[in-house]
Amino acid sequence: MSSNAVSYDQSTDSLYVKIRPGSSVRQHYDDTRDVIIDLGADGEPVGYDI
């Protein structure tokens, strides 16, 4: 995993984990885990905002 695969935003107290290359075309919010899942064009996750 490269060093830019994980980033922390102190102003929002959130951690972003990029798990594969590609752009997010849609987001899904999992309110039971307080996680936003960025989905690619194929519907599979490209990253998580925790």
Side-chain angles (χ1 to χ4, degrees), residues 2-3 8 11 23 31-33 39 43 46 48-50:
S2 68
S3 63
Y8 176 71
S11 66
S23 299
D31 60 350
T32 60
R33 295 185 179 167
L39 302 173
V46 294
Y48 298 94
D49 193 353
I50 304 166

Side-chain angles (χ1 to χ4, degrees), residues 16-46:
Y16 188 77
V17 181
K18 180 94 170 171
I19 59 172
R20 67 180 179 121
S23 299
S24 171
V25 297
R26 189 169 55 117
Q27 292 182 332
H28 171 74
Y29 179 63
D30 183 340
D31 60 350
T32 60
R33 295 185 179 167
D34 202 24
V35 173
I36 297 173
I37 304 167
D38 284 339
L39 302 173
D42 59 2
E44 295 296 317
V46 294

